[in-house]
Amino acid sequence: MAQPPFIEIQHLRKTFKQHLVLNDININIEYGDIFGIIGKSGSGKTTLLNLLMGFLKPTDGHIVFQSRDIENDMQNVRQQFGFTAQEGSFYPKLTVRENMEYFGELYNVTPRELKEKIPRILKSFGLEEAEHVVGYKLSIGMQKRLDIACGLIHDPKVLLLDEPTENLDPVLRREILNLLRDINKKKGVTILLTSHLLEEVEYICNKVAILHRNTVLASGTLNQLKDLYTKNMEIHLETTSGNYSKLLPALKKRNDIKSITPRDRGLVIYTPKPEPVLKFALDFLTHNNERLLDIGIEKPSLNEVFESFTKDKEIKEKVEKK
Amino acid sequence: MKLFQIVRKNYKLLIRSKSSALVVLLGPLILMLFISIAFNTSSLFDIRIGAYAESYSDLSESLVQQLQTDEFKVAKTDSQESCIKGVETEQYHICAIFPKDFSIKSQESIVFYVDKSKVNLVYIIINSISSRVSVKSSELSTALTTTLVSALNDANTRINEKKPLIEGVSNNLQATATKTDKVAADLQSLDLAPVGAANFTAIALELELVRNQTGSASSAFSKLNSLISNVRTNLESTSYKLTNVVSIRDASVAELKNIRDSILTDKVNTQEIQSSLTTISQSINAIEIKDVQKIVTPVTTEIKSVSKETTHLGYTFPTLLVMVIMFSCIFLASTSIIDERSSKAYFRNFISPTQSSLFVLSHYLFSLFIIFLQLFIIFFIMVYVTKTDINALLSRFVVLLFLISSVFILLGMLIGYVFKSGETANIGAISIAVGLLFFSNTILPLETLPPGIRNIAELNPFVISENVLRKVTLFNESLTNMMGSLALLLSYIVAFAVLTYISREVSSRRSV
């Protein structure tokens, strides 16, 4: 008999007065998933997280956690869920340790447990030296780590993160994502995060739900989504010269190429027929004595999947309106 | 324990914001210090009086001098208009217009012009100036009455001195009347009837006969006859004169009777005068109060306090203390709530498995701790500086201050949760605190309010707090005698606590 999902969102609907924010949301999250909810601003991502935490009550539908409706199990949900807000949720005038002690006690962690736990968390989050530094004096990256540490102080089974890498530079972003991946792997914490930065979702998440205009357009593993929602493949091509002035016009003459996008020193060619295009490109470069540095066929990025799907949806809506 | 962890966190947040900590902790103390210095006197300072008289008399000059003291500065103006204008432009607090050549005989009165829009000042000035003018008026009255009383005493003395004289006059008159009676009687008793008429004809005939018989010379007889004739003539003349004397005597007797009557009338009059003077003297003597001060101010008043005598600060201390508690509690509680709500960590508090009531309770305890710390310092200074023994009142003070602080802390917390931002919460806190202050006895007596509003204002927690604290401080009242007020304070605590809890729940939904 199949295990029920760890978290199951069933026909969830949320309105604020007359304003529909979420409509018929159905998502299953398994234990150990790093689940990404992607969507444009205002698509209802944060509302969905608030509903998951029980901070808001659904207008319709249910959220089931470990086979129990969270509405009837709120204390347990709050104890089992950790949360990290977009802008950080700690006291800037308390030190790192004081924040952790404070939130630890709020989450029913005993002082003895805290004494043992805090040094370990500080070490794993690289905050040891900042233990007695007040929050506002920390760097942005450290503040984000402190925020996540506060969310994990009570060893939650689920960690909810709202735009966790928002306002971070690429290095810090990657650092935080790696940290989350470690938490997921080492502690088995199921992670649910929202983001509109699709590259990072693609980097860290094993499952994704696309939220668009109040509803989930699709959810599943990245590969499932890519298979479902795009017919194009990506050919990544890079030459030593980085000069594509001859190749680009030749490629554009072909009917089987959807689009070509420059990326770094190379090109990304979107095509439903990658093999003939790849062969053409190789022949062309050989003929023109261009040395190939890198070439490969990849499935399209999440970005393309997202764009492809949301465009389809918008077109469908326009047709329906007409 | 969660509760103490939250309280500890609030305390740390407060002390790490040094400026806030200073304001919160020292603000009320500094306020109390300044208030104590400022309110520990009921005197007026630097009151400017404009004065004008078309021409100053001694009396008006004297009155100006009377007003010219440390607290009043009198400036003479050039005209009545400039004096009145001076009040409008706040150059003077009051303008005194003296009648021309003002004297006690003047029918006109001194007119004071005041700006009644300065309600809280004008009555104090009027009262102060009236009392000063009254002093001068009393001086004049005393002088006039002294003259009057002296004159009366002098008259009495003189009456008493002259009484024997009048009595002598009366007796003399009586004696004179008696003598007059006697003289009249003597006169009346005089026999002035003419001696029987002499028969001179017979005498002449007899003489003739004698002459004839004797043969004497007729010349001798003629001489004798002539003499007899002379005698006869004289007799007749005398008789005639006697007749006149009788008539004069009778007239004199009648006159004497008149004189006697007149004397007796004068005597009666004298006796009446004597009686009147005796009555006057008796009346003067019958005046019991001849002390000028008693006559000038026959009814003297003395105001005695029902409470034990203390300084002006002592009387105002309960009000000042409640004022400090109210402002401190409302601002501290609302600010800490707003700080919490605007904190990044507010959301994490909400989603933690911690009851809302615990946060409400912890904020309440935190504020209570700070307020009691301030009160401890205030009382310590009060006891140290004024050497007041508050041991007997301490337990009652603690109960009352706990209730009063609780009311205002919960009110402040409610404000903190109801208003969305720090700015609006501050405006709300100020408005509510000032509203409570206005509808109390602090600025104007509640008795000046219409009955309907007054009944509501009497339920004002500030008024109740002030009353209970005053009763304990000044009248040593027991708590059991104030159960009604204490029950009201408790009701406020319960009501504000419930509302605060509800507001927190509502605000948490709003914060999403």
Side-chain angles (χ1 to χ4, degrees), chain B residues 265-277:
Chain B
T265 305
D266 284 347
K267 185 202 164 194
V268 168
N269 287 340
T270 308
Q271 281 173 337
E272 278 179 12
I273 288 166
Q274 191 182 4
S275 169
S276 293
L277 287 173

Side-chain angles (χ1 to χ4, degrees), chain A residues 141-322:
Chain A
M142 287 174 109
Q143 285 186 2
K144 184 53 85 178
R145 277 185 274 166
L146 170 61
D147 198 29
I148 297 170
C150 288
L152 289 169
I153 190 72
H154 58 292
D155 289 331
K157 289 182 178 169
V158 181
L159 179 62
L160 307 176
L161 300 110
D162 190 12
E163 310 268 7
T165 56
E166 184 75 8
N167 302 326
L168 297 182
D169 64 49
V171 178
L172 284 177
R173 200 177 288 170
R174 188 52 62 98
E175 188 184 301
I176 294 300
L177 293 176
N178 289 337
L179 183 66
L180 292 174
R181 190 180 270 169
D182 277 358
I183 292 163
N184 175 255
K185 273 186 185 171
K186 290 177 184 169
K187 296 190 174 181
V189 177
T190 303
I191 293 175
L192 183 66
L193 61 89
T194 66
S195 181
H196 60 269
L197 301 169
L198 303 183
E199 292 87 355
E200 70 178 36
V201 174
E202 195 169 6
Y203 177 74
I204 189 173
C205 297
N206 63 326
K207 284 183 186 168
V208 173
I210 299 171
L211 203 57
H212 185 67
R213 294 197 175 172
N214 322 121
T215 191
V216 173
L217 298 182
S219 70
T221 63
L222 285 170
N223 282 336
Q224 280 172 340
L225 289 183
K226 286 175 182 178
D227 288 345
L228 270 171
Y229 293 107
T230 182
K231 293 162 188 148
N232 296 320
M233 295 293 278
E234 290 179 6
I235 298 170
H236 292 250
L237 180 151
E238 191 178 345
T239 62
T240 48
S241 68
N243 184 351
Y244 307 102
S245 57
K246 289 179 184 171
L247 178 63
L248 263 174
L251 286 170
K252 282 182 180 172
K253 283 178 187 168
R254 290 181 66 91
N255 294 327
D256 53 0
I257 290 175
K258 194 187 170 191
S259 64
I260 304 166
T261 311
R263 185 181 291 173
D264 300 330
R265 282 175 48 84
L267 292 177
V268 181
I269 305 159
Y270 296 93
T271 172
K273 294 173 182 173
E275 289 83 5
V277 174
L278 185 63
K279 188 176 180 300
F280 172 79
L282 287 171
D283 290 346
F284 187 88
L285 289 171
T286 311
H287 184 73
N288 287 284
N289 293 323
E290 282 280 358
R291 287 184 67 186
L292 200 61
L293 196 66
D294 185 31
I295 192 156
I297 300 173
E298 287 181 10
K299 283 194 173 180
S301 66
L302 185 59
N303 199 24
E304 210 218 354
V305 172
F306 181 75
E307 278 181 11
S308 153
F309 187 85
T310 50
K311 269 181 192 167
D312 284 355
K313 172 82 176 171
E314 280 161 13
I315 291 162
K316 271 184 195 171
E317 280 173 355
K318 279 179 188 170
V319 170
E320 278 169 10
K321 274 185 186 174
K322 282 179 183 175

Side-chain angles (χ1 to χ4, degrees), chain A residues 2-231:
Chain A
Q3 283 276 318
F6 193 52
I7 302 168
E8 194 177 2
I9 301 171
Q10 301 168 341
H11 306 291
L12 192 72
R13 186 165 176 273
K14 180 65 188 173
T15 56
F16 289 113
K17 294 181 180 171
Q18 300 301 313
H19 179 61
L20 179 67
V21 181
L22 293 172
N23 189 27
D24 197 28
I25 306 293
N26 292 286
I27 297 172
N28 290 339
I29 300 162
E30 300 298 339
Y31 179 78
D33 276 349
I34 301 182
F35 199 102
I37 297 169
I38 58 172
K40 293 178 180 172
S41 295
S43 59
K45 301 189 294 290
T46 304
T47 305
L48 183 58
L49 287 192
N50 284 328
L51 285 159
L52 273 162
M53 280 184 302
F55 191 63
L56 292 176
K57 286 187 177 176
T59 310
D60 273 318
H62 301 277
I63 299 170
V64 179
F65 172 62
Q66 291 183 313
S67 306
R68 293 177 73 176
D69 193 321
I70 65 164
E71 273 198 70
N72 305 323
D73 196 23
M74 194 47 70
Q75 280 299 101
N76 181 46
V77 166
R78 288 186 169 173
Q79 189 62 50
Q80 299 296 335
F81 280 45
F83 181 78
T84 299
Q86 198 172 325
E87 290 186 343
S89 193
F90 58 87
Y91 288 102
K93 284 179 184 166
L94 294 186
T95 65
V96 170
R97 188 181 186 89
E98 285 167 346
N99 266 298
M100 293 173 80
E101 282 175 347
Y102 172 71
F103 288 113
E105 284 214 31
L106 283 196
Y107 277 89
N108 303 314
V109 185
T110 63
R112 187 179 291 175
E113 287 173 322
L114 282 170
K115 210 170 182 181
E116 177 267 320
K117 196 179 271 186
I118 288 173
R120 198 157 34 86
I121 294 176
L122 288 173
K123 191 178 178 187
S124 60
F125 278 73
L127 289 167
E128 284 164 302
E129 288 181 7
E131 184 180 348
H132 299 294
V133 178
V134 286
Y136 72 90
K137 286 186 177 170
L138 297 173
S139 68
I140 292 173
M142 287 174 109
Q143 285 186 2
K144 184 53 85 178
R145 277 185 274 166
L146 170 61
D147 198 29
I148 297 170
C150 288
L152 289 169
I153 190 72
H154 58 292
D155 289 331
K157 289 182 178 169
V158 181
L159 179 62
L160 307 176
L161 300 110
D162 190 12
E163 310 268 7
T165 56
E166 184 75 8
N167 302 326
L168 297 182
D169 64 49
V171 178
L172 284 177
R173 200 177 288 170
R174 188 52 62 98
E175 188 184 301
I176 294 300
L177 293 176
N178 289 337
L179 183 66
L180 292 174
R181 190 180 270 169
D182 277 358
I183 292 163
N184 175 255
K185 273 186 185 171
K186 290 177 184 169
K187 296 190 174 181
V189 177
T190 303
I191 293 175
L192 183 66
L193 61 89
T194 66
S195 181
H196 60 269
L197 301 169
L198 303 183
E199 292 87 355
E200 70 178 36
V201 174
E202 195 169 6
Y203 177 74
I204 189 173
C205 297
N206 63 326
K207 284 183 186 168
V208 173
I210 299 171
L211 203 57
H212 185 67
R213 294 197 175 172
N214 322 121
T215 191
V216 173
L217 298 182
S219 70
T221 63
L222 285 170
N223 282 336
Q224 280 172 340
L225 289 183
K226 286 175 182 178
D227 288 345
L228 270 171
Y229 293 107
T230 182
K231 293 162 188 148

Side-chain angles (χ1 to χ4, degrees), chain B residues 39-307:
Chain B
F39 284 78
N40 198 19
T41 171
S42 56
S43 304
L44 289 170
F45 295 101
D46 194 24
I47 299 297
R48 298 179 298 278
I49 303 172
Y52 174 74
E54 210 173 317
S55 68
Y56 286 92
S57 63
D58 288 343
L59 181 58
S60 41
E61 284 288 1
S62 165
L63 279 165
V64 167
Q65 286 302 316
Q66 186 78 30
L67 292 173
Q68 185 96 40
T69 56
D70 289 344
E71 59 195 72
F72 293 116
K73 287 176 184 165
V74 184
K76 289 179 180 173
T77 60
D78 300 332
S79 67
Q80 181 170 334
E81 288 70 30
S82 65
C83 185
I84 296 168
K85 194 74 186 167
V87 177
E88 290 170 9
T89 57
E90 298 187 348
Q91 189 182 355
Y92 310 119
H93 292 99
I94 194 162
C95 164
I97 305 294
F98 294 93
K100 187 182 178 184
D101 298 323
F102 183 55
S103 72
I104 50 172
K105 290 173 189 170
S106 297
Q107 294 296 311
E108 295 166 285
S109 47
I110 308 166
V111 181
F112 289 106
Y113 289 89
V114 291
D115 179 5
K116 282 205 170 183
S117 63
K118 292 181 174 177
V119 280
N120 50 353
L121 178 69
V122 73
Y123 292 107
I124 300 172
I125 294 176
I126 289 172
N127 190 35
S128 184
I129 285 188
S130 298
S131 61
R132 285 181 184 281
V133 173
S134 173
V135 166
K136 185 66 196 172
S137 176
S138 184
E139 278 175 20
L140 290 171
S141 182
T142 305
L144 292 172
T145 312
T146 305
T147 310
L148 205 62
V149 169
S150 301
L152 274 174
N153 285 334
D154 191 41
N156 191 27
T157 310
R158 282 170 187 273
I159 285 168
N160 288 330
E161 277 174 11
K162 301 302 176 186
K163 247 182 181 177
L165 284 176
I166 292 170
E167 208 174 319
V169 168
S170 177
N171 291 338
N172 287 343
L173 283 171
Q174 182 60 51
T176 306
T178 308
K179 281 177 184 171
T180 307
D181 272 349
K182 193 172 176 300
V183 169
D186 287 349
L187 280 174
Q188 196 66 51
S189 65
L190 285 177
D191 186 10
L192 298 175
V195 183
N199 196 341
F200 285 98
T201 307
I203 292 168
L205 284 174
E206 283 294 322
L207 280 175
E208 195 62 39
L209 189 62
V210 168
R211 191 186 63 146
N212 289 335
Q213 287 173 349
T214 64
S216 304
S218 67
S219 60
F221 277 99
S222 287
K223 202 176 175 182
L224 185 64
N225 203 22
S226 174
L227 286 170
I228 290 166
S229 182
N230 282 340
V231 168
R232 186 184 175 184
T233 304
N234 284 339
L235 270 175
E236 282 174 0
S237 175
T238 302
S239 180
Y240 176 75
K241 283 180 180 174
L242 274 175
T243 305
N244 280 340
V245 167
V246 166
S247 108
I248 288 166
R249 185 201 65 185
D250 288 345
S252 294
V253 167
E255 190 61 29
L256 279 171
K257 281 183 179 172
N258 284 338
I259 288 166
R260 175 187 160 274
D261 288 345
S262 182
I263 288 168
L264 285 175
T265 305
D266 284 347
K267 185 202 164 194
V268 168
N269 287 340
T270 308
Q271 281 173 337
E272 278 179 12
I273 288 166
Q274 191 182 4
S275 169
S276 293
L277 287 173
T278 306
T279 308
I280 289 167
S281 177
Q282 281 170 350
S283 296
I284 291 170
N285 289 330
I287 297 169
E288 290 176 10
I289 301 159
K290 288 171 189 160
D291 179 8
V292 173
Q293 286 304 326
K294 283 278 177 191
I295 295 167
V296 172
T297 48
V299 179
T300 53
T301 52
E302 190 179 357
I303 310 294
K304 283 198 172 182
S305 174
V306 289
S307 61

